[in-house]
Amino acid sequence: MRGLLLLTALVATVFGQETFEGHQVLRVTAKDEVQISLLQDLAEMDMLQLDFWKEPAHPSLPVDIRVPFHSLQAAKAYLEANGIQYSIMIKDLQAVLDEEQHEMQSARSVEARNTDSYDYANYHSLSEIYSFMDMLVYENPNLVSKIQIGSSYEKRPLYVLKFSTGGSNRPAIWIDTGIHSREWVTQASGTWFAKKIVTDYGTDPALTAILNKMDIFLEIVTNPDGYAYTHSRDRMWRKTRKPNSGSSCVGVDPNRNWDAGFGGAGASNNPCSETYRGPRAHSEPEVSSIVDFVSSHRNFKAFVSIHSYSQMLLYPYGYTRTPARDQAELHALAQKAITELASLYGTRYRYGSIINTIYQASGGTIDWTYNQGIKYSYTFELRDTGRYGFILPANQIIPTAQETWLALMAIMEHTKDNVY
Amino acid sequence: MSWFVYATVTLLSLVQGNPTVKSSQQQAPPTAEQSVGYVQQQQSTLEYNNMEPKPALTPAEAMPVEELNPSHYPARRAAHVAQHYLNTQHGSPFKLLGVDRVVSATSEEIAGVGMKYVVVFALKEMITNEPMGQCSAEVLYPIGEEQAPPQVQCSCEGLLHIDTKAQEEALYQQLKASDSLVSGHNIPDSYGFIAPEMKPFWHLGGVASSFVMLKESNESTLYNMAQVVNVTQQESQNKELTFQYHVLLHEMVSQEIIHWKLLVAWCPAEGVRVLQTEWQPKCHHCVAPPSNTTLTLYSTS
């Protein structure tokens, strides 16, 4: 059966037939020769485009027929009118094929040999993403380099991809994904962004102009320990994996661990909490590595930290209701960015300060970066709004990445055009 | 301080009524004397959850009505509560309702009673992605130390337009006729994948979760169902089909993943009923259920 279905899919691809959406497979049991003959007549009706998987041969031997969606009514009416018994063996053939394809994918993930054959429409293991980074650098040595900014608690390397066309410590844009490990669409999008940058440099005028003036730094797996844990043990893991002394609970929320309003309302002091701030600001190596990198670089002009889910574009502050000094400009730019985002698939985003739009949160990343003087500090919450939540279907990765990229471009272009 | 793991067994026999029929188990709408400020509406889509008569209010006790920004979280959370309520009333394996967009909202503190939100939002049927027109909801978060469920009144213009009777009946008959009991786990799986035949049970889990999410909601929470960990069909004692569910709820403000076990009954005629609910501790060796410290503390520093 499985082989037959795979063959069907293969044949369909070869012959350019796109889909078996809505096609049903009926199992028909003819009770006598008369009914066999009627089925043979049915087979002759070319316009129905029926596909007999098992030909009518003998009464009481099942006859399997694949019926295209548009012929379902007619085919069933014919069977019923002639008193021929049938059952629906497969209600939606495409769904079954999708499931099989999915099973094949998750069963044996074959490593891609280059970034063109990498499957951007799927979620990958940590090692696959690390391999991707190396392949990208290898293929684009003049544009991309890989920097290790530190190590995670469990000693995994923290890698940042640097996209640069030269210069010396040019004004820079930072993008991070995966700081919360369960937000898988973000790491997947980060991978897509990396490929997008190398593809568009030299071909897309806007991106080329940005890279001719500025550098882009992209940390795809900002919390690798957490990410590994979501694959091996708990898909819903959010925090780092550092043990907490005096508690059996593990991990610190890396987005409550920054030195901005640290200790105030909007984070927990309970190690068992998902929003545990940690014993002190920057206690987590995943956070301190970025702090050290940004501090020593001294020339970041935009900082974007990407999360999911909720479909929001947020700017500081999270720890206080006091509006950011640049609130008006940040608000206007956010509006522009989400308008660009919506232009692709109509995905609706809300935008505003963190504390107004989502909740009070202290010790957050972009509150710290903004207070360091990095004006264009934004946090994204990607798809969706709660239906799938953290476990967004893989077939939404690319649409999410594509639309988000438009918003990122708006922010990066504005940064380039508004030197400060 | 040591905490004890506890299980809450609640009998929630909330009957889901057909929108055109008023169930006799529902309480009569509050009269004008009992609830100043609640608008009486005669549309057949209006339904009330169990409301106790409220003490009469004189106009002097009413506080100013505050206009809310529809894209800020207070309005959003209130609309979400109305969404949970609507799903307890109308949800099924083939019908799941969601807030598409908040249009407008106000809040008002009612002294001695609680916070009343009035929210107008665009409704969507989540399975077909069909817009369903607008809803107007009143959500009252009761005052008090302990969690008490919000009181919801909601009227929607488009609810009657979705007809899922045929699909529900087909599934019901299929399950009744089957020799084996349905079961599934990790719906969706880590990759967001759901086997097509499991989708109705995912939706049913969402509807059942709505009963808990409604009950657990307050001004500082926003709930979604994150995943069905497992669902096991039970032997049927009567015309209803029964399912044991283990679901994960995601609470956005605390970011916690909360485990609940639910015993759910369904048939097309009666709709979805949740017979038992049981909170599951996060992990057996955890010291304490995490407290929600992101409560309404708006520091003005």
Side-chain angles (χ1 to χ4, degrees), chain A residues 95 102 182 235 238 248 267 272 274 309-310 320-322 348 350 355-360 387 391 394, chain B residues 71-73 76-77 100 126 189-192 196 203 224 250 252 255-256 282 285 293 297-298 301:
Chain A
H102 163 83
R182 63 189 180 197
R235 176 63 178 81
R238 164 186 170 89
S248 55
C272 296
E274 293 284 23
Y309 60 93
S310 281
T320 174
R321 285 208 179 266
T322 305
R348 220 185 269 117
R350 290 182 293 134
I355 198 168
N356 283 333
T357 314
I358 189 169
Y359 43 53
Q360 183 175 28
R387 181 151 191 242
I391 25 188
Chain B
S71 59
H72 289 182
Y73 69 75
R76 187 86 193 171
R77 289 178 197 173
D100 193 15
M126 300 305 290
D189 70 9
S190 291
Y191 302 82
H203 301 141
N224 287 299
H250 173 230
M252 183 70 71
Q255 290 292 345
E256 295 296 330
K282 186 158 117 165
H285 56 273
T293 56
L297 299 169
Y298 305 137
S301 59

Side-chain angles (χ1 to χ4, degrees), chain A residues 168-180:
Chain A
S168 172
N169 212 49
R170 282 179 173 168
I173 295 157
W174 170 280
I175 303 170
D176 67 71
T177 53
I179 194 170
H180 286 142

Side-chain angles (χ1 to χ4, degrees), chain A residues 142-253:
Chain A
N142 296 325
L143 185 57
V144 196
S145 55
K146 187 176 83 172
I147 304 169
Q148 181 170 354
I149 62 168
S151 297
S152 69
Y153 171 74
E154 290 175 344
K155 301 281 180 286
R156 292 184 174 84
L158 299 169
Y159 289 133
V160 173
L161 292 176
K162 176 183 179 184
F163 300 84
S164 178
T165 60
S168 172
N169 212 49
R170 282 179 173 168
I173 295 157
W174 170 280
I175 303 170
D176 67 71
T177 53
I179 194 170
H180 286 142
S181 36
R182 63 189 180 197
E183 299 165 8
W184 278 18
V185 72
T186 70
Q187 298 94 335
S189 294
T191 315
W192 188 91
F193 298 152
K195 180 63 172 174
K196 179 69 171 164
I197 294 171
V198 307
T199 307
D200 275 8
Y201 182 71
T203 58
D204 174 64
L207 191 273
T208 306
I210 291 168
L211 273 177
N212 283 343
K213 280 202 167 157
M214 306 181 76
D215 294 341
I216 300 173
F217 291 85
L218 173 62
E219 187 175 6
I220 298 175
V221 190
T222 308
N223 178 5
D225 294 351
Y227 192 59
Y229 198 73
T230 58
H231 280 270
S232 64
R233 296 295 298 277
D234 181 359
R235 176 63 178 81
M236 295 294 171
W237 190 260
R238 164 186 170 89
K239 303 188 285 182
T240 64
R241 287 296 303 164
K242 180 131 112 356
N244 295 298
S245 72
S247 172
S248 55
C249 292
V250 174
V252 167
D253 184 344

Side-chain angles (χ1 to χ4, degrees), chain A residues 97-117:
Chain A
L97 290 173
D98 286 347
E99 181 179 349
E100 266 201 357
Q101 163 104 125
H102 163 83
E103 275 170 26
M104 279 163 39
Q105 271 178 357
S106 34
R108 31 145 220 138
S109 56
V110 177
E111 291 244 1
R113 304 269 234 83
N114 55 53
T115 65
D116 284 321
S117 58

Side-chain angles (χ1 to χ4, degrees), chain A residues 74-148:
Chain A
K76 288 176 180 174
Y78 181 89
L79 295 171
E80 285 161 25
N82 289 294
I84 303 174
Q85 268 210 314
Y86 72 91
S87 65
I88 302 173
M89 208 165 64
I90 298 179
K91 233 170 49 171
D92 184 339
L93 184 55
Q94 189 58 45
V96 175
L97 290 173
D98 286 347
E99 181 179 349
E100 266 201 357
Q101 163 104 125
H102 163 83
E103 275 170 26
M104 279 163 39
Q105 271 178 357
S106 34
R108 31 145 220 138
S109 56
V110 177
E111 291 244 1
R113 304 269 234 83
N114 55 53
T115 65
D116 284 321
S117 58
Y118 186 86
D119 187 2
Y120 297 93
N122 213 343
Y123 296 109
H124 291 267
S125 68
L126 186 62
S127 63
E128 285 168 354
I129 297 179
Y130 280 7
S131 297
F132 165 85
M133 290 185 211
D134 291 336
M135 290 190 295
L136 193 73
V137 171
Y138 178 79
E139 293 163 18
N140 302 276
N142 296 325
L143 185 57
V144 196
S145 55
K146 187 176 83 172
I147 304 169
Q148 181 170 354

